[in-house]
Amino acid sequence: MPQQAVLPFDDPFEWFDAWFDQARQSTMIEPTAMSLATVDADGQPSLRIVLLKGVDRKGFVFYTNLQSRKGRELLVEPRCALTFFWPQLGRQVRVEGVAQAVEDAEADAYFASRSRESQLGAWASQQSRELASRAALEAALAEVTARFEGQPVTRPPHWSGMRVVPTRIEFWQAGDARLHDRWEFVRGEPEMPFECHRLFP
Ligand SMILES: Cc1cc2nc3c(=O)[nH]c(=O)nc-3n(C[C@H](O)[C@H](O)[C@H](O)COP(=O)(O)O)c2cc1C
């Protein structure tokens, strides 16, 4: 991978778009997968994979059950972090920021684009709650399938999108002999312009 002597982009969103396009054009499975880190009220971190479903200058959007562990944690502490790892390209992107619920209309539009099976699953799963048995989950799915028979499946009120509004975005490109390139863009508040720094690997 060629080393970057100069800054390839001075705008972190343009930079992300370029790398994300290349990741999606590669043979990589799940290029939209990202680790999402949250913390609970005691400061205990937790980490899981979610899928990036939208990105623009406002931030990085994923969808989930708002009553899941991550949903409950983000309600109390919206500061969170994301990491993308694109091994075929030798790249990592790290994002830190604040999660905000997306507008209802945006969540409705995305929910409507999902398969009916996924829509019913969103109703049937009390994500992250204790489940007595697989049969209980299947019974919940059968119940919602019967409830919505012959009609569109509406979005559950507890299922929506979260947008991570970034205050830090770091681009990491693997280099020879571990002399990787790292560039960070930071801003104190989401309304402020980003400052860019190069970091030791
Ligand atoms: C490849 C992959 C993609 C996933 N995408 C999502 C997603 O977009 N939204 C989601 O809520 N969970 C997704 N999950 C499941 C989460 O990793 C996690 O198990 C679930 O959201 C419950 O997490 P929580 O208990 O921390 O809230 C995905 C898991 C994998 C492995």
Side-chain angles (χ1 to χ4, degrees), residues 30 33 48-51 63-65 68-71 127-128:
E30 304 288 22
R48 79 289 287 154
I49 302 286
V50 292
L51 299 181
Y63 285 87
T64 196
N65 184 317
S68 64
R69 177 174 178 180
K70 75 183 92 49
Q127 193 178 55
S128 313

Side-chain angles (χ1 to χ4, degrees), residues 50-51 53 62-65 106-125 127 152-156 158-161:
V50 292
L51 299 181
K53 292 296 180 185
F62 64 92
Y63 285 87
T64 196
N65 184 317
E106 187 175 348
D108 288 342
Y110 174 66
F111 190 77
S113 77
R114 304 184 92 209
S115 69
R116 190 171 177 86
E117 290 71 26
S118 300
Q119 292 173 338
L120 292 167
W123 278 102
S125 174
Q127 193 178 55
V153 183
T154 53
R155 179 173 62 87
H158 57 263
W159 192 96
S160 191

Side-chain angles (χ1 to χ4, degrees), residues 172-187:
W172 185 100
Q173 174 74 65
D176 294 336
R178 305 205 180 273
L179 295 179
H180 316 299
D181 282 313
R182 295 179 67 191
W183 300 94
E184 71 164 3
F185 291 81
V186 283
R187 57 183 178 182

